[in-house]
C-alpha cells in the first residue's frame, strides 16, 4: 500500500504541470491537483498494481477538470482566470527564448480547452495517441483531429503575434 502511495506522490510534478496548462490560475491548478490526489487515494483499490499510476491519475484529473468546466458553464462564471499579479512580466525580456515561451503559453491558453488538453497530453506529457485518447475519453481519431486543429490554431495565433511584434509605429 505504501508503494502505491509513493508512486502516486512521484507523479505530483507532472499533475501540477498539466493542471497549470489547463487552468491559468496557480491556486485553481493546485486545487485541481489536490482534488485528483484525494480521489485517487480514496479509490486506491481501482489502480492496477504493477502499472504506472500516471495514466490513471491523468484520467482522474481530466474528468475533474471537465466536471469543473461544466459547473462554471452552468453558473455562467468566467472559465479562464487572468494572470496573477506576480505572474505578469514587469520588465521586457532580454532573451528571445523568454518572449517566445511567453507567446507560446499565451497562444496555448487562447485555444479551446479540448484542443489544449489533447496537445498537452501528447506534445508535453509524452502520452501516445492511444493513451491520450483513453485518458481524455475520446476516440483516437477525435484526438488526432483536436491535435491537428489545435496546432493549426496555434500556428495562426503565433504568426499573428510575431507579425504584430515586428510592426513599429513611426511618428513624424
Amino acid at each position: 500500500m505504501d508503494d502505491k502511495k509513493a508512486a502516486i506522490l512521484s507523479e505530483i510534478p507532472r499533475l501540477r504541470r498539466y493542471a497549470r496548462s489547463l487552468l491559468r490560475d496557480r491556486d485553481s491548478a493546485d486545487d485541481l491537483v489536490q482534488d485528483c490526489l484525494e480521489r485517487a487515494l480514496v479509490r486506491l483499490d481501482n489502480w492496477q498494481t504493477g502499472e504506472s499510476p500516471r495514466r490513471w491519475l491523468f484520467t482522474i484529473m481530466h474528468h475533474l477538470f471537465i466536471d469543473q468546466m461544466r459547473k462554471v458553464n452552468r453558473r455562467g462564471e468566467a472559465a479562464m482566470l487572468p494572470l496573477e499579479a506576480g505572474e505578469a512580466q514587469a520588465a521586457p525580456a532580454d532573451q528571445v527564448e523568454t518572449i517566445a515561451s511567453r507567446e507560446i503559453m499565451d497562444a496555448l491558453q487562447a485555444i479551446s480547452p479540448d484542443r489544449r488538453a489533447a496537445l498537452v497530453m501528447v506534445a508535453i506529457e509524452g502520452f501516445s495517441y492511444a493513451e491520450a485518447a483513453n485518458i481524455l475519453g475520446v476516440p483516437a481519431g477525435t484526438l488526432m483531429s483536436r491535435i491537428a486543429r489545435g496546432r493549426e490554431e496555434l500556428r495562426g495565433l503565433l504568426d499573428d503575434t510575431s507579425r504584430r511584434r515586428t510592426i513599429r509605429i513611426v511618428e513624424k
Side-chain angles (χ1 to χ4, degrees), residues 39-128:
R39 185 168 289 183
L41 291 174
V42 167
R43 298 179 177 158
L44 200 54
D45 295 334
N46 292 350
W47 174 35
Q48 303 291 327
T49 306
E51 288 185 20
S52 169
R54 191 171 183 210
R55 196 172 350 160
W56 181 61
L57 291 168
F58 274 74
T59 301
I60 292 170
M61 179 175 284
H62 179 72
H63 288 293
L64 288 168
F65 172 70
I66 294 299
D67 291 345
Q68 182 179 350
M69 293 302 291
R70 286 180 182 152
K71 268 187 219 174
V72 166
N73 289 337
R74 261 192 312 241
R75 292 183 191 152
E77 299 171 5
M80 300 305 291
L81 299 172
L83 279 175
E84 296 173 359
E87 292 180 1
Q89 199 170 10
D94 294 329
Q95 299 171 341
V96 174
E97 294 84 19
T98 303
I99 294 170
S101 296
R102 175 54 53 197
E103 288 174 354
I104 291 169
M105 289 305 296
D106 288 345
L108 191 60
Q109 291 298 321
I111 65 174
S112 75
D114 290 339
R115 292 176 183 171
R116 182 172 57 244
L119 276 170
V120 169
M121 284 285 181
V122 173
I124 297 174
E125 295 302 332
F127 285 109
S128 69

Side-chain angles (χ1 to χ4, degrees), residues 4 8 14 23-24 30 37 39 57 72 75 107 124 151 159:
K4 283 186 172 184
I8 289 171
R14 290 182 188 91
L23 302 164
R24 200 166 199 165
D30 287 342
L37 293 172
R39 185 168 289 183
L57 291 168
V72 166
R75 292 183 191 152
I124 297 174
R151 285 179 177 159
D159 285 346

Side-chain angles (χ1 to χ4, degrees), residues 139-151:
T142 301
L143 176 84
M144 289 188 271
S145 175
R146 287 179 182 176
I147 290 171
R149 289 181 179 150
R151 285 179 177 159

